Amino acid sequence: MGSRLKKGIISCFIVLNLGSVLFMNRPTPVVQAEEALIETLDPELAYGVRYGRWLTQYYAFCTGLNNQWQMFGKQTRFNWWYVIKAQYGDGEPQVLPLPLQSKRTFWQAWFFDFKETKLQLNFYPRPAAREAYAHYLARQYPEHEGVPISSIIFELQWQAILSREEVSKTGVYLDSTIVTQVIQTVDFGQP
């Protein structure tokens, strides 16, 4: 294969990948304008354009180029975390010794616990995932002082992030009020 052909293939590959990344990161108004334009096309042509878009999205998905960048995007206005507890019998719920809610070594906290944050982020909007995780936790911590587990409780706690103006005045960026809400309880009953 000639060097000119190799360079051409490499150039096409680079253009394809850069084009895929740019395509996946189009602003919402551009996507809406595209859709409005497609609606005006002949049905067969509209199908071809939609199929081409789908192929590009599928290629980006298969190659891992479908990440969307949100530079200068809006930040969340609250800092949230879970407190996951287990209730044994009719006793008081016990905070489980999980990585993000127990004392950790330097190595654990800085090199290994990053997975826990991603796990919690993934089951944040998914009750079924929280339930599956609760069953896992029930197997890991089946009893406490001889009393079998009766439920896993997911508490969501959060603090508001203050506005830039308020932070500039006070030097504090989190509201002192911590709001707690039980978002899911998974019961196991008695064995």
Side-chain angles (χ1 to χ4, degrees):
M1 191 184 305
S3 72
R4 192 172 225 179
L5 181 60
K6 284 181 187 178
K7 288 180 182 178
I9 291 172
I10 291 171
S11 295
C12 288
F13 179 72
I14 291 170
V15 168
L16 174 65
N17 287 328
L18 287 175
S20 296
V21 169
L22 292 172
F23 180 80
M24 294 305 297
N25 285 284
R26 297 170 318 217
T28 304
V30 172
V31 174
Q32 291 169 343
E34 275 178 21
E35 201 54 47
L37 181 63
I38 290 171
E39 290 297 322
T40 64
L41 298 176
D42 177 62
E44 283 184 34
L45 184 58
Y47 172 79
V49 171
R50 284 193 178 107
Y51 185 65
R53 284 181 7 174
W54 179 84
L55 283 174
T56 305
Q57 290 169 335
Y58 187 68
Y59 173 78
F61 170 75
C62 289
T63 56
L65 299 173
N66 62 339
N67 294 325
Q68 293 188 333
W69 304 339
Q70 294 185 359
M71 293 173 58
F72 312 111
K74 290 191 172 195
Q75 297 297 313
T76 62
R77 300 310 311 154
F78 62 95
N79 177 36
W80 65 271
W81 63 95
Y82 279 111
V83 176
I84 302 171
K85 300 178 180 180
Q87 185 166 4
Y88 296 93
D90 293 332
E92 283 294 312
Q94 306 289 318
V95 175
L96 292 172
L98 300 174
L100 297 179
Q101 54 191 43
S102 64
K103 190 167 176 71
R104 307 295 281 169
T105 67
F106 169 82
W107 298 104
Q108 290 170 322
W110 287 94
F111 294 104
F112 299 104
D113 290 348
F114 65 90
K115 299 176 290 191
E116 300 299 322
T117 304
K118 181 64 175 164
L119 175 72
Q120 289 189 4
L121 185 62
N122 283 336
F123 66 64
Y124 178 80
R126 297 179 181 93
R130 285 192 298 269
E131 186 171 345
Y133 187 58
H135 284 278
Y136 164 78
L137 292 174
R139 289 190 303 274
Q140 296 301 308
Y141 306 99
E143 62 179 43
H144 179 69
E145 297 177 354
V147 180
I149 193 166
S150 57
S151 63
I152 296 286
I153 302 160
F154 290 87
E155 281 185 6
L156 182 63
Q157 296 188 357
W158 70 89
Q159 289 176 284
I161 296 174
L162 301 174
S163 68
R164 183 182 307 188
E165 294 79 24
E166 206 166 338
V167 172
S168 297
K169 290 177 191 171
T170 64
V172 176
Y173 70 95
L174 287 173
D175 189 349
S176 60
T177 304
I178 297 175
V179 180
T180 300
Q181 177 184 5
V182 174
I183 60 165
Q184 188 170 0
T185 300
V186 179
D187 293 315
F188 300 106
Q190 297 301 322

